[in-house]
Amino acid sequence: MASVELNGAVIDSEQAFHAECRRAFGFPDSYSDSMDAWVDCLSYLRDEDGMTKFKLFPNEKLEIVVKDAAAMRAKVPELLEELAFCVGGINERYEDYGEKPALALVLRD
């Protein structure tokens, strides 16, 4: 299973979240620092279009580990909830196309 780590201790705003995601996922320069763009980039993990530095095999998952999740939860709880919601939505999108879910969210305090 592929894995990526987000540092929850540095995420204290939506801007900081997107900066951390740019670093961790290797999003393209065209990434627009929005949750819509985040969802779009992570909806193509099994394709060749280079929206992230990850290219998953058909049944592989990308584990998104938020370390220091308690710090993120204390500063921006709504953003952590939105992250979980978006991961679920992306997995549903994969299932709608007859594929296995591609993401697993792990919160580490």
Side-chain angles (χ1 to χ4, degrees), residues 44-89:
Y44 298 97
L45 290 167
R46 296 187 180 123
D47 297 333
E48 295 290 338
D49 47 2
M51 299 298 282
T52 72
K53 63 183 178 184
F54 298 96
K55 168 72 170 78
L56 300 183
F57 294 108
N59 293 322
E60 188 178 15
K61 279 189 178 181
L62 175 62
E63 182 180 67
I64 301 171
V65 178
V66 180
K67 74 174 194 173
D68 295 322
M72 184 177 172
R73 188 178 297 111
K75 296 174 199 169
V76 284
E78 67 287 344
L79 189 54
L80 195 56
E81 288 176 26
E82 188 172 11
L83 173 61
F85 178 80
C86 289
V87 165

mmCIF file of all heavy atoms in Angstrom, residues 44-89:
data_model
loop_
_atom_site.group_PDB
_atom_site.id
_atom_site.type_symbol
_atom_site.label_atom_id
_atom_site.label_comp_id
_atom_site.label_asym_id
_atom_site.label_seq_id
_atom_site.Cartn_x
_atom_site.Cartn_y
_atom_site.Cartn_z
ATOM 1 N N TYR A 44 -7.813 10.525 -9.840
ATOM 2 C CA TYR A 44 -7.118 9.951 -10.986
ATOM 3 C C TYR A 44 -5.846 9.210 -10.574
ATOM 4 O O TYR A 44 -4.865 9.201 -11.312
ATOM 5 C CB TYR A 44 -6.787 11.056 -11.995
ATOM 6 C CG TYR A 44 -8.025 11.716 -12.532
ATOM 7 C CD1 TYR A 44 -8.495 12.902 -11.987
ATOM 8 C CD2 TYR A 44 -8.757 11.113 -13.548
ATOM 9 C CE1 TYR A 44 -9.663 13.495 -12.458
ATOM 10 C CE2 TYR A 44 -9.925 11.692 -14.029
ATOM 11 C CZ TYR A 44 -10.362 12.885 -13.478
ATOM 12 O OH TYR A 44 -11.514 13.460 -13.941
ATOM 13 N N LEU A 45 -5.875 8.592 -9.406
ATOM 14 C CA LEU A 45 -4.687 7.921 -8.885
ATOM 15 C C LEU A 45 -4.289 6.688 -9.680
ATOM 16 O O LEU A 45 -3.165 6.222 -9.570
ATOM 17 C CB LEU A 45 -4.895 7.536 -7.420
ATOM 18 C CG LEU A 45 -4.928 8.705 -6.447
ATOM 19 C CD1 LEU A 45 -5.444 8.255 -5.089
ATOM 20 C CD2 LEU A 45 -3.552 9.334 -6.329
ATOM 21 N N ARG A 46 -5.201 6.153 -10.460
ATOM 22 C CA ARG A 46 -4.896 4.959 -11.249
ATOM 23 C C ARG A 46 -4.738 5.281 -12.735
ATOM 24 O O ARG A 46 -4.652 4.390 -13.555
ATOM 25 C CB ARG A 46 -5.980 3.913 -11.031
ATOM 26 C CG ARG A 46 -6.006 3.427 -9.584
ATOM 27 C CD ARG A 46 -6.950 2.273 -9.370
ATOM 28 N NE ARG A 46 -6.908 1.876 -7.971
ATOM 29 C CZ ARG A 46 -7.967 1.836 -7.177
ATOM 30 N NH1 ARG A 46 -9.163 2.166 -7.637
ATOM 31 N NH2 ARG A 46 -7.837 1.469 -5.926
ATOM 32 N N ASP A 47 -4.717 6.552 -13.055
ATOM 33 C CA ASP A 47 -4.571 6.997 -14.436
ATOM 34 C C ASP A 47 -3.164 7.528 -14.671
ATOM 35 O O ASP A 47 -2.391 7.715 -13.746
ATOM 36 C CB ASP A 47 -5.599 8.086 -14.755
ATOM 37 C CG ASP A 47 -7.032 7.577 -14.642
ATOM 38 O OD1 ASP A 47 -7.255 6.365 -14.820
ATOM 39 O OD2 ASP A 47 -7.927 8.399 -14.368
ATOM 40 N N GLU A 48 -2.881 7.841 -15.908
ATOM 41 C CA GLU A 48 -1.549 8.300 -16.301
ATOM 42 C C GLU A 48 -1.444 9.815 -16.423
ATOM 43 O O GLU A 48 -0.506 10.314 -17.027
ATOM 44 C CB GLU A 48 -1.169 7.679 -17.652
ATOM 45 C CG GLU A 48 -1.004 6.177 -17.638
ATOM 46 C CD GLU A 48 0.222 5.711 -16.878
ATOM 47 O OE1 GLU A 48 1.161 6.495 -16.700
ATOM 48 O OE2 GLU A 48 0.221 4.544 -16.446
ATOM 49 N N ASP A 49 -2.385 10.578 -15.882
ATOM 50 C CA ASP A 49 -2.374 12.012 -16.159
ATOM 51 C C ASP A 49 -1.557 12.842 -15.186
ATOM 52 O O ASP A 49 -1.561 14.064 -15.279
ATOM 53 C CB ASP A 49 -3.783 12.570 -16.326
ATOM 54 C CG ASP A 49 -4.744 12.122 -15.260
ATOM 55 O OD1 ASP A 49 -4.330 11.397 -14.354
ATOM 56 O OD2 ASP A 49 -5.911 12.512 -15.340
ATOM 57 N N GLY A 50 -0.837 12.243 -14.263
ATOM 58 C CA GLY A 50 0.134 12.950 -13.432
ATOM 59 C C GLY A 50 -0.430 14.009 -12.505
ATOM 60 O O GLY A 50 0.219 15.026 -12.259
ATOM 61 N N MET A 51 -1.624 13.783 -11.966
ATOM 62 C CA MET A 51 -2.219 14.758 -11.056
ATOM 63 C C MET A 51 -1.578 14.706 -9.667
ATOM 64 O O MET A 51 -1.721 15.631 -8.885
ATOM 65 C CB MET A 51 -3.728 14.543 -10.952
ATOM 66 C CG MET A 51 -4.453 14.711 -12.285
ATOM 67 S SD MET A 51 -4.286 16.362 -12.962
ATOM 68 C CE MET A 51 -5.452 17.240 -11.962
ATOM 69 N N THR A 52 -0.879 13.608 -9.370
ATOM 70 C CA THR A 52 -0.106 13.468 -8.134
ATOM 71 C C THR A 52 1.182 12.724 -8.488
ATOM 72 O O THR A 52 1.338 12.232 -9.603
ATOM 73 C CB THR A 52 -0.848 12.654 -7.045
ATOM 74 O OG1 THR A 52 -0.861 11.277 -7.427
ATOM 75 C CG2 THR A 52 -2.257 13.149 -6.814
ATOM 76 N N LYS A 53 2.047 12.585 -7.512
ATOM 77 C CA LYS A 53 3.262 11.800 -7.741
ATOM 78 C C LYS A 53 2.999 10.306 -7.576
ATOM 79 O O LYS A 53 3.897 9.492 -7.763
ATOM 80 C CB LYS A 53 4.389 12.256 -6.817
ATOM 81 C CG LYS A 53 4.121 12.065 -5.335
ATOM 82 C CD LYS A 53 5.271 12.625 -4.514
ATOM 83 C CE LYS A 53 5.036 12.513 -3.035
ATOM 84 N NZ LYS A 53 6.109 13.144 -2.262
ATOM 85 N N PHE A 54 1.750 9.947 -7.257
ATOM 86 C CA PHE A 54 1.384 8.548 -7.048
ATOM 87 C C PHE A 54 0.677 7.983 -8.268
ATOM 88 O O PHE A 54 -0.120 8.656 -8.896
ATOM 89 C CB PHE A 54 0.476 8.410 -5.822
ATOM 90 C CG PHE A 54 1.139 8.840 -4.556
ATOM 91 C CD1 PHE A 54 0.955 10.129 -4.064
ATOM 92 C CD2 PHE A 54 1.960 7.980 -3.859
ATOM 93 C CE1 PHE A 54 1.575 10.551 -2.905
ATOM 94 C CE2 PHE A 54 2.599 8.391 -2.693
ATOM 95 C CZ PHE A 54 2.400 9.681 -2.222
ATOM 96 N N LYS A 55 0.953 6.731 -8.580
ATOM 97 C CA LYS A 55 0.252 5.979 -9.623
ATOM 98 C C LYS A 55 -0.052 4.622 -9.014
ATOM 99 O O LYS A 55 0.841 3.814 -8.779
ATOM 100 C CB LYS A 55 1.133 5.848 -10.868
ATOM 101 C CG LYS A 55 0.631 4.861 -11.912
ATOM 102 C CD LYS A 55 -0.591 5.367 -12.636
ATOM 103 C CE LYS A 55 -0.961 4.527 -13.834
ATOM 104 N NZ LYS A 55 -1.628 3.303 -13.567
ATOM 105 N N LEU A 56 -1.332 4.393 -8.703
ATOM 106 C CA LEU A 56 -1.731 3.160 -8.026
ATOM 107 C C LEU A 56 -2.046 2.042 -9.004
ATOM 108 O O LEU A 56 -2.534 2.287 -10.113
ATOM 109 C CB LEU A 56 -2.970 3.425 -7.166
ATOM 110 C CG LEU A 56 -2.843 4.469 -6.069
ATOM 111 C CD1 LEU A 56 -4.151 4.550 -5.281
ATOM 112 C CD2 LEU A 56 -1.680 4.207 -5.145
ATOM 113 N N PHE A 57 -1.817 0.822 -8.559
ATOM 114 C CA PHE A 57 -2.243 -0.359 -9.295
ATOM 115 C C PHE A 57 -3.754 -0.519 -9.118
ATOM 116 O O PHE A 57 -4.351 0.102 -8.212
ATOM 117 C CB PHE A 57 -1.506 -1.597 -8.780
ATOM 118 C CG PHE A 57 -0.033 -1.553 -9.047
ATOM 119 C CD1 PHE A 57 0.870 -1.352 -8.000
ATOM 120 C CD2 PHE A 57 0.458 -1.697 -10.331
ATOM 121 C CE1 PHE A 57 2.230 -1.305 -8.246
ATOM 122 C CE2 PHE A 57 1.826 -1.653 -10.584
ATOM 123 C CZ PHE A 57 2.710 -1.457 -9.535
ATOM 124 N N PRO A 58 -4.413 -1.359 -9.912
ATOM 125 C CA PRO A 58 -5.880 -1.458 -9.877
ATOM 126 C C PRO A 58 -6.501 -1.686 -8.502
ATOM 127 O O PRO A 58 -7.532 -1.104 -8.198
ATOM 128 C CB PRO A 58 -6.169 -2.620 -10.822
ATOM 129 C CG PRO A 58 -5.060 -2.558 -11.818
ATOM 130 C CD PRO A 58 -3.847 -2.137 -11.010
ATOM 131 N N ASN A 59 -5.927 -2.492 -7.648
ATOM 132 C CA ASN A 59 -6.524 -2.761 -6.338
ATOM 133 C C ASN A 59 -5.772 -2.106 -5.187
ATOM 134 O O ASN A 59 -6.069 -2.360 -4.025
ATOM 135 C CB ASN A 59 -6.622 -4.269 -6.092
ATOM 136 C CG ASN A 59 -7.614 -4.916 -7.027
ATOM 137 O OD1 ASN A 59 -8.660 -4.350 -7.326
ATOM 138 N ND2 ASN A 59 -7.291 -6.094 -7.518
ATOM 139 N N GLU A 60 -4.798 -1.276 -5.506
ATOM 140 C CA GLU A 60 -3.974 -0.637 -4.480
ATOM 141 C C GLU A 60 -4.683 0.580 -3.894
ATOM 142 O O GLU A 60 -5.475 1.246 -4.557
ATOM 143 C CB GLU A 60 -2.650 -0.203 -5.104
ATOM 144 C CG GLU A 60 -1.638 0.304 -4.111
ATOM 145 C CD GLU A 60 -0.321 0.689 -4.771
ATOM 146 O OE1 GLU A 60 -0.259 0.828 -6.002
ATOM 147 O OE2 GLU A 60 0.648 0.859 -4.018
ATOM 148 N N LYS A 61 -4.375 0.859 -2.623
ATOM 149 C CA LYS A 61 -4.892 2.050 -1.943
ATOM 150 C C LYS A 61 -3.739 2.970 -1.582
ATOM 151 O O LYS A 61 -2.618 2.520 -1.360
ATOM 152 C CB LYS A 61 -5.605 1.671 -0.634
ATOM 153 C CG LYS A 61 -7.003 1.192 -0.792
ATOM 154 C CD LYS A 61 -7.667 1.059 0.562
ATOM 155 C CE LYS A 61 -9.098 0.615 0.397
ATOM 156 N NZ LYS A 61 -9.779 0.497 1.686
ATOM 157 N N LEU A 62 -4.064 4.236 -1.505
ATOM 158 C CA LEU A 62 -3.138 5.233 -0.981
ATOM 159 C C LEU A 62 -3.586 5.554 0.435
ATOM 160 O O LEU A 62 -4.711 6.013 0.643
ATOM 161 C CB LEU A 62 -3.144 6.496 -1.846
ATOM 162 C CG LEU A 62 -2.302 7.665 -1.324
ATOM 163 C CD1 LEU A 62 -0.827 7.281 -1.239
ATOM 164 C CD2 LEU A 62 -2.488 8.886 -2.219
ATOM 165 N N GLU A 63 -2.729 5.289 1.391
ATOM 166 C CA GLU A 63 -3.011 5.583 2.789
ATOM 167 C C GLU A 63 -2.581 7.027 3.063
ATOM 168 O O GLU A 63 -1.415 7.372 2.885
ATOM 169 C CB GLU A 63 -2.245 4.612 3.674
ATOM 170 C CG GLU A 63 -2.497 4.798 5.144
ATOM 171 C CD GLU A 63 -1.719 3.798 5.967
ATOM 172 O OE1 GLU A 63 -0.470 3.878 5.998
ATOM 173 O OE2 GLU A 63 -2.365 2.943 6.577
ATOM 174 N N ILE A 64 -3.546 7.852 3.449
ATOM 175 C CA ILE A 64 -3.260 9.235 3.817
ATOM 176 C C ILE A 64 -3.178 9.283 5.331
ATOM 177 O O ILE A 64 -4.182 9.116 6.027
ATOM 178 C CB ILE A 64 -4.360 10.191 3.319
ATOM 179 C CG1 ILE A 64 -4.495 10.118 1.792
ATOM 180 C CG2 ILE A 64 -4.049 11.625 3.763
ATOM 181 C CD1 ILE A 64 -5.702 10.863 1.259
ATOM 182 N N VAL A 65 -1.973 9.471 5.844
ATOM 183 C CA VAL A 65 -1.740 9.503 7.289
ATOM 184 C C VAL A 65 -1.624 10.959 7.721
ATOM 185 O O VAL A 65 -0.769 11.693 7.219
ATOM 186 C CB VAL A 65 -0.454 8.736 7.664
ATOM 187 C CG1 VAL A 65 -0.195 8.831 9.158
ATOM 188 C CG2 VAL A 65 -0.546 7.285 7.213
ATOM 189 N N VAL A 66 -2.494 11.364 8.633
ATOM 190 C CA VAL A 66 -2.385 12.699 9.225
ATOM 191 C C VAL A 66 -1.728 12.513 10.576
ATOM 192 O O VAL A 66 -2.355 12.020 11.519
ATOM 193 C CB VAL A 66 -3.754 13.392 9.370
ATOM 194 C CG1 VAL A 66 -3.586 14.773 9.993
ATOM 195 C CG2 VAL A 66 -4.458 13.489 8.020
ATOM 196 N N LYS A 67 -0.432 12.844 10.652
ATOM 197 C CA LYS A 67 0.246 12.755 11.949
ATOM 198 C C LYS A 67 -0.072 14.029 12.725
ATOM 199 O O LYS A 67 -0.346 15.079 12.140
ATOM 200 C CB LYS A 67 1.747 12.527 11.792
ATOM 201 C CG LYS A 67 2.527 13.711 11.348
ATOM 202 C CD LYS A 67 4.019 13.421 11.374
ATOM 203 C CE LYS A 67 4.760 14.737 11.248
ATOM 204 N NZ LYS A 67 6.165 14.628 11.427
ATOM 205 N N ASP A 68 -0.075 13.940 14.024
ATOM 206 C CA ASP A 68 -0.486 15.052 14.884
ATOM 207 C C ASP A 68 -1.895 15.524 14.536
ATOM 208 O O ASP A 68 -2.175 16.727 14.478
ATOM 209 C CB ASP A 68 0.501 16.221 14.803
ATOM 210 C CG ASP A 68 1.876 15.865 15.350
ATOM 211 O OD1 ASP A 68 1.913 15.133 16.369
ATOM 212 O OD2 ASP A 68 2.881 16.289 14.768
ATOM 213 N N ALA A 69 -2.778 14.561 14.290
ATOM 214 C CA ALA A 69 -4.165 14.875 13.934
ATOM 215 C C ALA A 69 -4.869 15.636 15.056
ATOM 216 O O ALA A 69 -5.744 16.457 14.791
ATOM 217 C CB ALA A 69 -4.926 13.599 13.597
ATOM 218 N N ALA A 70 -4.471 15.403 16.296
ATOM 219 C CA ALA A 70 -5.096 16.116 17.424
ATOM 220 C C ALA A 70 -4.825 17.612 17.321
ATOM 221 O O ALA A 70 -5.706 18.432 17.613
ATOM 222 C CB ALA A 70 -4.581 15.573 18.752
ATOM 223 N N ALA A 71 -3.633 17.975 16.882
ATOM 224 C CA ALA A 71 -3.301 19.393 16.717
ATOM 225 C C ALA A 71 -4.152 20.009 15.619
ATOM 226 O O ALA A 71 -4.673 21.116 15.760
ATOM 227 C CB ALA A 71 -1.820 19.559 16.397
ATOM 228 N N MET A 72 -4.308 19.283 14.528
ATOM 229 C CA MET A 72 -5.147 19.777 13.429
ATOM 230 C C MET A 72 -6.598 19.887 13.874
ATOM 231 O O MET A 72 -7.277 20.866 13.589
ATOM 232 C CB MET A 72 -5.021 18.850 12.219
ATOM 233 C CG MET A 72 -5.788 19.339 11.007
ATOM 234 S SD MET A 72 -5.520 18.243 9.587
ATOM 235 C CE MET A 72 -6.716 18.932 8.450
ATOM 236 N N ARG A 73 -7.067 18.877 14.599
ATOM 237 C CA ARG A 73 -8.449 18.871 15.100
ATOM 238 C C ARG A 73 -8.699 20.063 16.025
ATOM 239 O O ARG A 73 -9.765 20.670 16.001
ATOM 240 C CB ARG A 73 -8.736 17.561 15.823
ATOM 241 C CG ARG A 73 -10.189 17.372 16.222
ATOM 242 C CD ARG A 73 -10.440 16.036 16.907
ATOM 243 N NE ARG A 73 -10.159 14.897 16.043
ATOM 244 C CZ ARG A 73 -9.148 14.044 16.208
ATOM 245 N NH1 ARG A 73 -8.306 14.198 17.222
ATOM 246 N NH2 ARG A 73 -8.966 13.044 15.375
ATOM 247 N N ALA A 74 -7.729 20.426 16.833
ATOM 248 C CA ALA A 74 -7.875 21.551 17.759
ATOM 249 C C ALA A 74 -7.923 22.889 17.020
ATOM 250 O O ALA A 74 -8.640 23.801 17.435
ATOM 251 C CB ALA A 74 -6.729 21.560 18.773
ATOM 252 N N LYS A 75 -7.174 23.001 15.920
ATOM 253 C CA LYS A 75 -7.080 24.273 15.201
ATOM 254 C C LYS A 75 -8.157 24.433 14.127
ATOM 255 O O LYS A 75 -8.696 25.521 13.959
ATOM 256 C CB LYS A 75 -5.706 24.404 14.542
ATOM 257 C CG LYS A 75 -4.561 24.473 15.513
ATOM 258 C CD LYS A 75 -3.249 24.460 14.756
ATOM 259 C CE LYS A 75 -2.112 24.065 15.656
ATOM 260 N NZ LYS A 75 -0.893 23.803 14.907
ATOM 261 N N VAL A 76 -8.401 23.371 13.371
ATOM 262 C CA VAL A 76 -9.326 23.448 12.233
ATOM 263 C C VAL A 76 -10.179 22.171 12.151
ATOM 264 O O VAL A 76 -10.065 21.386 11.210
ATOM 265 C CB VAL A 76 -8.575 23.691 10.901
ATOM 266 C CG1 VAL A 76 -8.121 25.125 10.765
ATOM 267 C CG2 VAL A 76 -7.406 22.740 10.735
ATOM 268 N N PRO A 77 -11.047 21.960 13.144
ATOM 269 C CA PRO A 77 -11.825 20.717 13.163
ATOM 270 C C PRO A 77 -12.705 20.541 11.931
ATOM 271 O O PRO A 77 -12.879 19.422 11.441
ATOM 272 C CB PRO A 77 -12.659 20.837 14.440
ATOM 273 C CG PRO A 77 -12.702 22.296 14.737
ATOM 274 C CD PRO A 77 -11.402 22.853 14.241
ATOM 275 N N GLU A 78 -13.245 21.642 11.401
ATOM 276 C CA GLU A 78 -14.116 21.544 10.236
ATOM 277 C C GLU A 78 -13.335 21.085 9.000
ATOM 278 O O GLU A 78 -13.865 20.370 8.141
ATOM 279 C CB GLU A 78 -14.823 22.874 9.959
ATOM 280 C CG GLU A 78 -13.931 24.015 9.510
ATOM 281 C CD GLU A 78 -13.037 24.640 10.579
ATOM 282 O OE1 GLU A 78 -13.256 24.425 11.799
ATOM 283 O OE2 GLU A 78 -12.090 25.351 10.198
ATOM 284 N N LEU A 79 -12.083 21.438 8.927
ATOM 285 C CA LEU A 79 -11.254 21.028 7.791
ATOM 286 C C LEU A 79 -10.942 19.535 7.873
ATOM 287 O O LEU A 79 -10.947 18.832 6.852
ATOM 288 C CB LEU A 79 -9.967 21.853 7.758
ATOM 289 C CG LEU A 79 -9.088 21.702 6.532
ATOM 290 C CD1 LEU A 79 -9.847 21.967 5.239
ATOM 291 C CD2 LEU A 79 -7.893 22.638 6.630
ATOM 292 N N LEU A 80 -10.716 19.037 9.064
ATOM 293 C CA LEU A 80 -10.476 17.601 9.243
ATOM 294 C C LEU A 80 -11.733 16.814 8.874
ATOM 295 O O LEU A 80 -11.654 15.769 8.219
ATOM 296 C CB LEU A 80 -10.042 17.312 10.677
ATOM 297 C CG LEU A 80 -9.425 15.949 10.939
ATOM 298 C CD1 LEU A 80 -8.229 15.677 10.045
ATOM 299 C CD2 LEU A 80 -9.030 15.833 12.401
ATOM 300 N N GLU A 81 -12.904 17.328 9.254
ATOM 301 C CA GLU A 81 -14.166 16.687 8.880
ATOM 302 C C GLU A 81 -14.351 16.705 7.365
ATOM 303 O O GLU A 81 -14.793 15.718 6.763
ATOM 304 C CB GLU A 81 -15.343 17.386 9.548
ATOM 305 C CG GLU A 81 -15.452 17.131 11.028
ATOM 306 C CD GLU A 81 -16.586 17.918 11.671
ATOM 307 O OE1 GLU A 81 -17.562 18.261 10.967
ATOM 308 O OE2 GLU A 81 -16.495 18.188 12.881
ATOM 309 N N GLU A 82 -14.026 17.822 6.735
ATOM 310 C CA GLU A 82 -14.162 17.925 5.280
ATOM 311 C C GLU A 82 -13.206 16.970 4.579
ATOM 312 O O GLU A 82 -13.560 16.360 3.565
ATOM 313 C CB GLU A 82 -13.918 19.365 4.828
ATOM 314 C CG GLU A 82 -14.221 19.585 3.364
ATOM 315 C CD GLU A 82 -14.161 21.036 2.949
ATOM 316 O OE1 GLU A 82 -13.688 21.891 3.722
ATOM 317 O OE2 GLU A 82 -14.579 21.314 1.818
ATOM 318 N N LEU A 83 -12.015 16.822 5.118
ATOM 319 C CA LEU A 83 -11.047 15.876 4.563
ATOM 320 C C LEU A 83 -11.629 14.462 4.570
ATOM 321 O O LEU A 83 -11.592 13.759 3.557
ATOM 322 C CB LEU A 83 -9.746 15.941 5.355
ATOM 323 C CG LEU A 83 -8.669 14.909 5.023
ATOM 324 C CD1 LEU A 83 -8.204 15.029 3.582
ATOM 325 C CD2 LEU A 83 -7.499 15.051 5.985
ATOM 326 N N ALA A 84 -12.176 14.040 5.702
ATOM 327 C CA ALA A 84 -12.771 12.701 5.815
ATOM 328 C C ALA A 84 -13.942 12.551 4.848
ATOM 329 O O ALA A 84 -14.094 11.512 4.191
ATOM 330 C CB ALA A 84 -13.208 12.446 7.250
ATOM 331 N N PHE A 85 -14.776 13.585 4.741
ATOM 332 C CA PHE A 85 -15.915 13.564 3.832
ATOM 333 C C PHE A 85 -15.446 13.407 2.387
ATOM 334 O O PHE A 85 -16.002 12.618 1.615
ATOM 335 C CB PHE A 85 -16.743 14.849 3.999
ATOM 336 C CG PHE A 85 -17.904 14.945 3.068
ATOM 337 C CD1 PHE A 85 -19.079 14.263 3.328
ATOM 338 C CD2 PHE A 85 -17.821 15.726 1.922
ATOM 339 C CE1 PHE A 85 -20.164 14.348 2.455
ATOM 340 C CE2 PHE A 85 -18.886 15.823 1.044
ATOM 341 C CZ PHE A 85 -20.064 15.133 1.307
ATOM 342 N N CYS A 86 -14.419 14.149 2.007
ATOM 343 C CA CYS A 86 -13.905 14.097 0.636
ATOM 344 C C CYS A 86 -13.271 12.750 0.316
ATOM 345 O O CYS A 86 -13.431 12.230 -0.791
ATOM 346 C CB CYS A 86 -12.919 15.230 0.387
ATOM 347 S SG CYS A 86 -13.712 16.849 0.288
ATOM 348 N N VAL A 87 -12.565 12.159 1.267
ATOM 349 C CA VAL A 87 -11.992 10.830 1.062
ATOM 350 C C VAL A 87 -13.123 9.833 0.777
ATOM 351 O O VAL A 87 -13.032 9.024 -0.152
ATOM 352 C CB VAL A 87 -11.141 10.384 2.273
ATOM 353 C CG1 VAL A 87 -10.852 8.895 2.233
ATOM 354 C CG2 VAL A 87 -9.845 11.180 2.317
ATOM 355 N N GLY A 88 -14.193 9.910 1.554
ATOM 356 C CA GLY A 88 -15.340 9.029 1.324
ATOM 357 C C GLY A 88 -15.961 9.250 -0.045
ATOM 358 O O GLY A 88 -16.315 8.298 -0.751
ATOM 359 N N GLY A 89 -16.096 10.500 -0.444
ATOM 360 C CA GLY A 89 -16.674 10.819 -1.743
ATOM 361 C C GLY A 89 -15.811 10.331 -2.899
ATOM 362 O O GLY A 89 -16.330 9.840 -3.912
#
